[in-house]
Amino acid sequence: RLQAHLLKQGFPLPRIVMPVDDPDPASPLLVIREQMYELFEYVSGHAYAATAGETADAGRTLAGFHQATRTFEPGPDCPAGDYHDANAVRTGLNTIPASISPHESVMGKDAELLSTVNVLYDAYETASEAARRFGVEALSEQVIHSDWHPGNMLFKNDRVAAVIDYDSARLARRIMDVANGVLQFSMLTGPQPEHWPDHLDTQRVHLLLDSYEQVDPLTDAERACIPHLMIEALIAECVLPIARTGSFGHWTGFRFMQMIRRKVLWLR
């Protein structure tokens, strides 16, 4: 329903290919061997190349998404919640020492692991309180994308060709998308977590924010919340998978958390 609504609004996303033999002509689900799929049209494009044009258009496109979803009725089954002041993040931080301890990467470094967890816990609490103080919880809610990052977009000629991956969409405050988008589009990485720089690309921060506001201006309260929500988003994104598996992708959780700690301290 959300994707159909966005298409009617002219938002750039792949069209769903409807099955021709489905008993329910309104259903996009394709069933093969009892597995359910959605099939989307092919969109020509390439991955984010971190150009100024791509970054600016990602901001404009996010603003267009939020404008389009203001008129969308989510229905009673729409998920809610976000990374701000989330007990799941606190629980994850508390369980990380046990989930990481069996890994060789922390042998003899138990004190450093606990210190890293404590720094991130304190940073998360401080950022949550600051965002609360600036009024984040009084902001109105609407359907947001909730996973606005370069990997969920295709680009062509310095513009967003398509936005994909709507299965995290939920009812929340639009500034959650903005703060996470600023974080994701300004992230500087490297071959290994220890090589990632502490700082973000501040030029890309301003490009995304300024282009967003050209389409859909933010309030003073929303702007004030952004750096604090960026800290919450950064911690939440790394904590939840590490608490479950002890790792983040193919990197050990301890190494990745050390890098996150550096970035969090830079953001603060």
Side-chain angles (χ1 to χ4, degrees):
R1 285 181 55 240
L2 173 61
Q3 288 166 296
H5 174 83
L6 290 168
L7 281 170
K8 287 179 183 177
Q9 300 289 320
F11 188 78
L13 77 161
R15 292 180 179 275
I16 299 175
V17 180
M18 301 295 284
V20 295
D21 58 351
D22 195 300
D24 179 1
S27 171
L29 294 178
L30 182 65
V31 181
I32 302 175
R33 295 176 187 158
E34 300 183 348
Q35 298 295 314
M36 292 186 292
Y37 300 87
E38 285 178 326
L39 180 64
F40 294 89
E41 69 176 355
Y42 178 82
V43 177
S44 177
H46 58 79
Y48 179 59
T51 68
E54 290 173 354
T55 307
D57 202 52
R60 285 189 291 267
T61 304
L62 178 57
F65 178 92
H66 290 157
Q67 287 184 326
T69 57
R70 284 196 192 112
T71 57
F72 177 71
E73 294 292 336
D77 58 342
C78 180
D82 49 59
Y83 55 81
H84 165 66
D85 197 22
N87 284 329
V89 177
R90 296 183 179 93
T91 301
L93 281 164
N94 286 331
T95 59
I96 276 176
S99 66
I100 288 184
S101 291
H103 290 258
E104 292 181 5
S105 62
V106 296
M107 292 292 289
K109 299 178 181 177
D110 291 343
E112 188 176 351
L113 171 60
L114 288 174
S115 172
T116 298
V117 169
N118 288 336
V119 167
L120 295 183
Y121 199 105
D122 174 68
Y124 187 79
E125 292 291 340
T126 302
S128 295
E129 174 55 33
R132 239 184 342 264
R133 191 168 64 250
F134 285 118
V136 68
E137 290 165 8
L139 299 173
S140 60
E141 294 184 328
Q142 64 179 86
V143 170
I144 69 169
H145 185 274
S146 196
D147 200 13
W148 198 263
H149 69 79
N152 280 338
M153 283 165 227
L154 288 166
F155 294 86
K156 193 171 185 178
N157 300 325
D158 258 0
R159 303 294 297 270
V160 175
V163 178
I164 64 171
D165 198 356
Y166 294 85
D167 51 354
S168 293
R170 60 193 51 250
L171 193 64
R173 304 159 189 92
R174 66 167 178 164
I175 198 62
M176 301 300 166
D177 263 351
V178 176
N180 185 57
V182 169
L183 174 71
Q184 299 293 341
F185 275 87
S186 63
M187 187 70 70
L188 295 168
T189 63
Q192 298 295 333
E194 52 267 32
H195 300 141
W196 294 24
D198 301 359
H199 62 281
L200 303 179
D201 186 324
T202 52
Q203 181 184 19
R204 280 190 250 157
V205 169
H206 290 292
L207 277 169
L208 194 134
L209 273 177
D210 291 347
S211 60
Y212 182 98
E213 293 215 76
Q214 288 169 10
V215 178
D216 202 7
L218 299 169
T219 66
D220 290 343
E222 287 174 316
R223 287 190 205 97
C225 290
I226 288 173
H228 310 290
L229 294 175
M230 288 170 70
I231 291 173
E232 288 188 87
L234 180 57
I235 295 171
E237 184 176 18
C238 84
V239 161
L240 298 178
I242 292 173
R244 280 196 309 270
T245 67
S247 60
F248 189 93
H250 58 277
W251 291 306
T252 60
F254 180 49
R255 291 171 65 206
F256 202 80
M257 285 179 62
Q258 288 175 306
M259 177 274 297
I260 294 296
R261 172 179 176 166
R262 291 190 286 106
K263 287 190 179 290
V264 164
L265 293 176
W266 182 85
L267 273 165
R268 292 184 78 173

